[in-house]
Structures are given as structure tokens and as C-alpha cells.
């Protein structure tokens, strides 16, 4: 019997009705969006938020839109923080499928087992049971590509620089043409719009320089409550040499509450064309 990870935030973070979900994502991508289905993307990654679509969906869609106008992916590595405290320090969902209102997506079991073997760690998949940071990415991917790709879901409770670099090194030896790495993270939480933008910029400056040690130092020094710094560090440890920050906003611009906001960025990470 196939192991299926059922959606847990459909109906809250995004619509559970298939047609309503399709309509919302179409609106977020815009009428001009057209997938380049004739071509596989080169190895690349995106940094995208994971809040409810009404707050962060537009920011996430901007990165996905730009990615899939270049080509499609055959495999997607999903990296997100652990918000629930369940499961192991690094939790890999090793087999079966994940389901959303758009249908099922198969897990690349061969790759998940390989990563687990390389990490040589205890694995408890319970981390994925109620976690939203990876699930909310799937409808964007399915809207663009259907269900004809595989996923490698990785949830990080241990977001230390050492662990992130180790995982990045492992992925660097695996990824190839057609692979997309998704680093799921929101930025600063529950301070004013102005303060959040300023704090986020301190992180964005380090991203532009791809200086991970400085990113970790600033997060600690300025008390920046970015939740997925580990997944971002993994992505930047893979060996890409170019980053484009596409969007930076806060929930206040959607909710009208500028006193206690969450920051969002989207970015594309790739290898520059030399």
C-alpha cells in the first residue's frame, strides 16, 4: 500500500477546492505566464516564502514564474524549516507520494535514500505530518508542470551552519539538469513593517554576497527571526554563483496591519552564464 502524505493546510493557507486553487494561482502568476515546457531548466534554486497565499503567494509566484519561463523541472528538492518540533533533527520523507487538491506527486525514493545514507543520521518522518513549509510550495509547482516530476522533501529542525553546509555538499554531488532546489523561508516576524524591512535587508545584503557566516552572524546580532535560514544556507552551499533578489515585501502590504508583520522575499539562485 502506497504511503501518502495528505495535505494539512489546504483550506487554510490555500484553497482546498481545485478550481478555486487554480484560479488563485493563475491570478498570482498573471495572464502573461507561459511555461517553457520544451526545455529542462539547468540546476538552479529559488528562495520563496511559505505563508498563506493571500499574504505571500504573489511574492512566491514571481520566483516560480521566472523559473518556469526558462524551462521545467523533473525533480524538485524541497527544503523547509521545522515549525512543529516533531520528528528528527533532519527529517527526510523517503517514499510514497504527497497529495494536494491538484493530485499526487511521487517522492524520488532512490535519491532520498542516497541523501539519508550520506548524512548517516536517524530519520523520523513525523516532522512532515503537520508541517506547512513544504506543502504550500507544491500547488505552484503542479500548476506549472502538472504532476510529472518527483520530489525530495527535507525538513530541518537542525539549521546550524555546519549541518546546512554538509547537506549542501551532498546535494551538490546529486543535482543535474532538470533539478530545482526550493528553499522555503519567511523573513523577520511580528515587528513593524519598517523594522522588518530593515532587518530583512541586513540578511539580503549577505545573500547578495553569498556570505553564509555573515548571514548567521547578523541573524544573531540583530535578533532577526527568519525561520528558514538553514534551507537558504543549504541552497547557497551547493555551489551556485549568482543570485537575483526578485521581490521583498511584508504581510502588512496585504493585510493593512503594519504594526506586526512578517517579511517575505523571493529570489533565484543559479550559475551565471559564462
Amino acid at each position: 500500500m502506497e504511503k501518502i502524505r495528505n495535505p494539512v493546510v489546504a483550506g487554510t493557507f490555500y484553497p482546498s477546492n481545485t478550481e478555486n486553487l487554480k484560479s488563485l494561482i493563475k491570478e498570482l502568476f498573471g495572464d502573461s505566464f507561459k511555461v517553457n515546457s520544451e526545455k529542462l531548466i539547468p540546476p538552479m534554486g529559488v528562495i520563496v516564502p511559505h505563508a498563506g497565499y493571500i499574504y505571500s503567494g504573489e511574492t512566491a509566484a514571481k520566483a516560480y514564474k521566472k523559473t518556469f519561463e526558462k524551462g521545467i523541472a523533473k525533480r524538485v528538492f524541497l527544503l523547509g524549516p521545522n515549525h512543529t518540533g516533531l520528528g528528527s533533527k533532519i527529517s527526510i520523507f523517503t517514499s510514497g507520494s504527497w497529495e494536494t487538491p491538484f493530485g499526487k506527486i511521487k517522492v524520488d525514493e532512490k535519491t532520498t535514500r542516497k541523501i539519508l545514507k550520506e548524512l548517516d543520521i536517524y530519520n523520523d518522518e513525523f516532522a512532515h505530518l503537520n508541517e506547512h513549509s513544504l506543502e504550500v510550495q507544491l500547488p505552484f509547482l503542479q500548476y506549472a508542470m502538472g504532476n510529472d516530476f518527483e520530489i525530495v522533501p527535507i525538513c530541518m529542525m537542525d539549521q546550524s551552519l555546519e549541518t546546512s553546509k554538509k547537506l549542501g555538499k551532498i546535494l551538490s554531488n546529486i543535482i543535474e539538469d532538470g533539478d530545482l532546489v526550493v528553499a522555503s523561508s519567511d523573513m523577520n516576524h511580528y515587528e513593524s513593517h519598517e523594522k522588518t524591512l530593515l532587518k530583512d535587508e541586513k540578511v539580503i545584503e549577505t545573500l547578495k554576497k553569498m556570505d553564509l557566516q555573515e548571514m548567521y552572524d547578523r541573524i544573531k546580532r540583530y535578533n532577526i527571526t527568519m525561520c528558514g535560514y538553514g534551507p537558504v544556507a543549504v541552497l547557497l552551499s551547493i555551489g551556485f554563483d549568482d543570485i537575483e533578489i526578485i521581490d521583498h515585501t511584508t504581510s502588512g502590504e496585504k493585510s493593512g496591519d503594519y504594526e506586526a508583520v512578517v517579511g517575505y522575499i523571493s529570489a533565484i539562485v543559479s550559475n551565471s552564464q559564462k
Side-chain angles (χ1 to χ4, degrees):
M1 185 175 169
E2 185 189 25
K3 180 172 64 178
I4 298 173
R5 196 277 189 184
N6 294 308
V8 293
V9 292
T12 52
F13 280 59
Y14 60 88
S16 56
N17 176 276
T18 306
E19 289 308 312
N20 291 346
L21 180 58
K22 189 181 292 184
S23 176
L24 175 57
I25 297 181
K26 181 179 181 181
E27 184 182 329
L28 293 172
F29 274 102
D31 290 335
S32 64
F33 174 61
K34 186 164 172 46
V35 181
N36 181 359
S37 55
E38 303 298 311
K39 188 177 174 186
L40 283 178
I41 55 167
M44 59 192 295
V46 292
I47 301 170
V48 282
H50 51 239
Y53 284 15
I54 60 169
Y55 301 111
S56 69
E58 189 177 336
T59 296
K62 285 178 181 178
Y64 284 125
K65 178 180 178 181
K66 204 156 187 180
T67 298
F68 295 124
E69 285 174 344
K70 298 175 192 289
I72 55 171
K74 62 180 182 182
R75 179 170 57 179
V76 180
F77 295 81
L78 295 164
L79 301 159
N82 184 325
H83 291 88
T84 67
L86 301 172
S88 48
K89 290 183 177 180
I90 300 293
S91 176
I92 303 177
F93 198 94
T94 53
S95 62
S97 296
W98 282 43
E99 190 164 19
T100 79
F102 286 155
K104 295 179 191 172
I105 311 162
K106 191 169 170 51
V107 173
D108 180 354
E109 185 174 358
K110 185 178 176 184
T111 301
T112 58
R113 300 284 184 195
K114 179 178 172 61
I115 295 169
L116 203 52
K117 186 178 178 184
E118 293 277 331
L119 281 172
D120 191 27
I121 55 165
Y122 165 70
N123 187 48
D124 180 353
E125 297 182 10
F126 209 52
H128 294 275
L129 188 65
N130 295 311
E131 179 56 53
H132 66 275
S133 64
L134 304 185
E135 178 187 326
V136 297
Q137 310 304 336
L138 297 178
F140 289 108
L141 300 166
Q142 291 170 293
Y143 177 82
M145 302 189 294
N147 297 332
D148 192 23
F149 63 97
E150 293 186 319
I151 55 172
V152 178
I154 303 173
C155 185
M156 301 178 68
M157 194 184 316
D158 177 1
Q159 299 192 58
S160 66
L161 184 53
E162 181 185 7
T163 297
S164 300
K165 282 183 170 180
K166 182 178 181 181
L167 185 50
K169 181 77 163 52
I170 291 168
L171 296 189
S172 73
N173 293 320
I174 294 174
I175 65 167
E176 57 192 20
D177 283 350
D179 283 342
L180 177 67
V181 183
V182 175
S184 176
S185 180
D186 293 343
M187 300 299 285
N188 194 61
H189 288 64
Y190 309 134
E191 293 187 274
S192 72
H193 175 76
E194 292 76 13
K195 187 174 277 190
T196 290
L197 289 178
L198 288 171
K199 283 192 171 186
D200 290 353
E201 280 297 336
K202 291 185 184 301
V203 174
I204 291 169
E205 286 168 8
T206 67
L207 297 181
K208 287 177 177 175
K209 295 186 289 186
M210 295 198 173
D211 189 336
L212 291 181
Q213 186 62 62
E214 181 65 14
M215 180 180 82
Y216 275 72
D217 289 347
R218 287 190 179 192
I219 286 170
K220 186 176 181 181
R221 187 185 321 144
Y222 298 108
N223 191 28
I224 300 167
T225 53
M226 174 183 179
C227 57
Y229 55 91
V232 171
V234 174
L235 174 58
L236 297 185
S237 297
I238 290 172
F240 298 112
D241 62 12
D242 188 62
I243 184 165
E244 178 189 2
I245 306 296
I246 294 169
D247 195 27
H248 179 206
T249 185
T250 79
S251 58
E253 294 183 26
K254 298 296 183 183
S255 69
D257 174 9
Y258 288 93
E259 297 306 307
V261 308
V262 180
Y264 310 123
I265 69 165
S266 57
I268 289 181
V269 180
S270 60
N271 288 316
S272 54
Q273 302 299 315
K274 292 172 182 168

